[in-house]
Amino acid sequence: MMAMTTGGATASGAYGNGNSGGFGASGPYGASGDPGARGAAGAGSAGSPGSVPESGRGRLRSGFGLLGPRHGRHSLSVEQVDSLALPIGDDGVVIGVDAEGQPAVLGLNRPTPYDVVLIGGLWTAQVLALRAAATGARVAVETGRAPAWMQMVHAMGGGQNGMSVHDVGRVPPQGSSAGNPVLVVRDCGMRPPRGRVASGPWQSVLTLLPYLSAVAPRLLRQARLVGVQRVSPDEAAEIGRALALPRGDVDSLPTLADGVTLWCADRDRQYVMTQPTDAETGLFGTPRRMD
């Protein structure tokens, strides 16, 4: 789910000691190397307009002015190259902090289909949608409770900033691309129907399930990533079987605090606490599991 990349770079100076490019004082166009300059100097008498003072000879370049200051080349030895490194954080949406207090980042914009299932509350789904929109993705919400989402749409400028709300089964083709990624949020209750718009290149789908239902096992099997918030002990046992969770994780699911999610991808599991910004608190309120 997360990746850390580091890179290194080195560069030699493109501009050396002032003689690069053949424009030095002794080059073909220097004051001492220009035949025309020598002729003019020899023809003129001392103090005449065409003469070159002795103090200026060797410092003037015909047509190029005075020589600039000399600087040493900016270069590194082979042994020093390894010391150049630029740490780069994960690429995606910051969904909270992990157990060590480090940012947890979810990469939603991908060139391959990506399905996410969140068994949790509307609050978390809305925060994820808002943050995805902030990264430049268009967000299309398929929901049976449009008023719960329209407040966010109005706060973002009435849909002018790339968020739209659609009735269940009415999401049009989004035309996603590398320069125009899309997140489809399906907030269709415990038994969401099969969506007309599926995940694809540069188009991820986040399905929100408030609780488990008969369709949950199928959705869990299809998902590349599953997020689980606080559930009942019976639901925790069923989720544990579906995701092959260790006993410790199964026992912790009924005790999770509001805003805490266990994200599971293949064999990778991570607890993440989503902490709202001041703007998100003003828009959505404090973290909560129930709506």
Side-chain angles (χ1 to χ4, degrees), residues 187-235:
D187 175 28
C188 305
M190 295 176 60
R191 299 172 180 268
R194 294 184 181 272
R196 293 179 56 188
V197 179
S199 62
W202 305 110
Q203 179 167 294
S204 300
V205 175
L206 169 64
T207 301
L208 174 63
L209 296 178
Y211 302 101
L212 291 184
S213 65
V215 301
R218 172 178 60 84
L219 295 175
L220 295 181
R221 288 193 301 269
Q222 295 175 349
R224 296 279 303 279
L225 177 69
V226 176
V228 185
Q229 296 188 312
R230 187 173 61 248
V231 293
S232 68
D234 291 340
E235 290 174 310

Side-chain angles (χ1 to χ4, degrees), residues 15-287:
Y15 303 96
N17 59 6
N19 294 328
S20 61
F23 295 113
S26 61
Y29 298 99
S32 61
D34 186 351
R38 288 197 302 271
S45 60
S48 65
S51 65
V52 179
E54 290 293 337
S55 61
R57 291 181 180 177
R59 297 294 298 169
L60 292 175
R61 296 184 301 173
S62 177
F64 294 98
L66 296 173
L67 293 175
R70 282 0 185 222
H71 295 288
R73 291 181 179 273
H74 299 284
S75 60
L76 294 176
S77 65
V78 175
E79 293 74 16
Q80 293 173 311
V81 172
D82 291 338
S83 66
L84 290 180
L86 179 63
I88 301 176
D90 298 334
D91 181 16
V93 180
V94 178
I95 59 175
V97 295
D98 59 19
E100 287 73 34
Q102 298 299 316
V105 180
L106 174 59
L108 290 172
N109 302 332
R110 298 169 179 260
T112 56
Y114 197 66
D115 287 282
V116 182
V117 172
L118 173 61
I119 303 173
L122 176 65
W123 185 91
T124 301
Q126 289 184 325
V127 169
L128 296 182
L130 182 64
R131 294 183 182 183
T135 65
R138 287 190 296 111
V139 179
V141 181
E142 179 183 7
T143 181
R145 44 180 173 179
W149 290 89
M150 290 308 299
Q151 180 182 4
M152 181 168 61
V153 174
H154 293 322
M156 295 180 59
Q160 299 301 314
N161 290 329
M163 176 169 285
S164 57
V165 177
H166 309 272
D167 292 333
V168 177
R170 298 297 182 89
V171 181
Q174 296 299 303
S176 59
S177 65
N180 192 23
V182 175
L183 172 64
V184 178
V185 180
R186 305 199 69 213
D187 175 28
C188 305
M190 295 176 60
R191 299 172 180 268
R194 294 184 181 272
R196 293 179 56 188
V197 179
S199 62
W202 305 110
Q203 179 167 294
S204 300
V205 175
L206 169 64
T207 301
L208 174 63
L209 296 178
Y211 302 101
L212 291 184
S213 65
V215 301
R218 172 178 60 84
L219 295 175
L220 295 181
R221 288 193 301 269
Q222 295 175 349
R224 296 279 303 279
L225 177 69
V226 176
V228 185
Q229 296 188 312
R230 187 173 61 248
V231 293
S232 68
D234 291 340
E235 290 174 310
E238 186 173 347
I239 293 172
R241 288 191 294 270
L243 301 179
L245 296 179
R247 185 65 189 178
D249 289 329
V250 174
D251 293 339
S252 70
L253 291 179
T255 65
L256 295 181
D258 290 339
V260 176
T261 308
L262 173 61
W263 292 99
C264 307
D266 296 328
R267 297 182 181 275
D268 184 21
R269 298 182 305 279
Q270 189 171 40
Y271 289 92
V272 175
M273 173 176 285
T274 303
Q275 299 174 325
T277 63
D278 292 340
E280 291 168 346
T281 300
L283 189 59
F284 305 126
T286 56

